[in-house]
Structure formats: C-alpha cells, structure tokens
Amino acid sequence: GGPYVARFNPTTGAQLWRTSLPLAPGQWVAAPSGAVVKGGWVVVVIGPTVYKLHPKTGAIVASAQQPVFASAAIDANFDGFAVAPDANGTILLKSQNRSAGCTIQGNQAMSMCVAQFGPQPVTTVVAVDPVTLKNIAAIALDQAVIARPTVVSNKGKTDMYLSGSAQGVRVTWNPKTKTLNQDLAWAPPYLLPG
C-alpha cells in the first residue's frame, strides 16, 4: 500500500489513525523519516516531499516539495530528519539518491544500481520552515551521503555532521542569515587505501 504514518494508543496498542502518503509516478520509495516538531505537529518526508499531519486526526494539512540538485526528484529521498536547536526549530534534511535509470525500490537501490547505472548523484541538504514547510535554503554537497546526520549547536549556528562517500562532511546552518554552507576545510578522510 505504500508509505504511511500511523498513530497508536501507547497503552492499548490500538491504532488511532493511519495516513497514506501520496507518491509521484515512478517515485523511489526508500525509508521515510519524520519527527514531532514544535506545536506537536507530525512532520514526515518521503521522496522529495515534506508533509505536515494533524496530530489528532492524521490529516495532511500542508506539503511542500524540496529542491533536489544533481538528481531527478523521483530518484531522491530526503532522510536524516533533524530539528535544529534554533528558536524556530528549523528542519534539516539531506537526500539519498539512487542512480539515474535505476527502478529498484527500497534502500537496496543505493548499492544494487551502482554497477549498472553508475555512482549515486551528490547529496542535497535543505533547511525547511517547520510551520509552512517552505524551503529556506538548499545546497548540493561535493559527494553522496547515505548515513543519517548528527547535529550540534555551535555558537548560535547548527553544525550537521555526515558520513560522506569519500570523507566526513560538515554543513553549517546559520539561522540569522538563513544559509547552509559546506565547510570544505573540514573533510577528514576515513577510507583506508584500496
């Protein structure tokens, strides 16, 4: 039936609501991610689209497609949902991308398609307004990132640490200037020779 979000009663286990998430034709379906954000809203992302669900009914009250660089939107899946520790609770997401031409569904597409269709496109990182879901900023990284991020507060900014395909990546979110920047000077290598 495709991706969905469900709410359960924690005491009885009874399902209170279940909401299916719409998909574009041909959309790559990989593991979605989400969080409960400021105000108690349930925000989830599947593919390039972020959805805001009413916490009591599960109704989709807003949605917004995020920009994707170096990949078709149907081959991108934003995951690694992080909420910045800024006053707005800005949502930070990064994309996983399957290789162009691949039609395999699920997370295994990231590894199973490389031999036939080439390497995964580089990752897109976005900052999203948690109220409107509109995109605030977006950047393309210099490599593909599969793993989910870790975020930490750093002197009024938020640093997002990622495991890239070639080396470590640090992206800084500045809520005052509303910008994302990859710190190219911070790129520790961790692959062994060969």
Side-chain angles (χ1 to χ4, degrees), residues 29-124:
V29 181
S33 60
V36 176
V37 299
K38 202 174 193 179
W41 294 97
V42 178
V43 179
V44 295
V45 60
I46 184 74
T49 306
V50 182
Y51 296 93
K52 186 178 201 177
L53 283 64
H54 193 285
K56 292 190 185 207
T57 66
I60 297 172
V61 296
S63 66
Q65 184 170 323
Q66 299 303 307
V68 179
F69 300 116
S71 174
I74 63 166
D75 291 324
N77 182 60
F78 280 95
D79 81 329
F81 201 112
V83 177
D86 59 33
N88 293 329
T90 304
I91 298 168
L92 301 174
L93 300 166
K94 62 93 187 158
S95 71
Q96 296 173 324
N97 305 296
R98 68 178 175 182
S99 305
C102 176
T103 58
I104 293 173
Q105 293 292 354
N107 286 29
Q108 64 271 21
M110 291 181 282
S111 60
M112 292 178 68
C113 293
V114 172
Q116 183 177 358
F117 297 103
Q120 298 164 335
V122 298
T123 290
T124 300

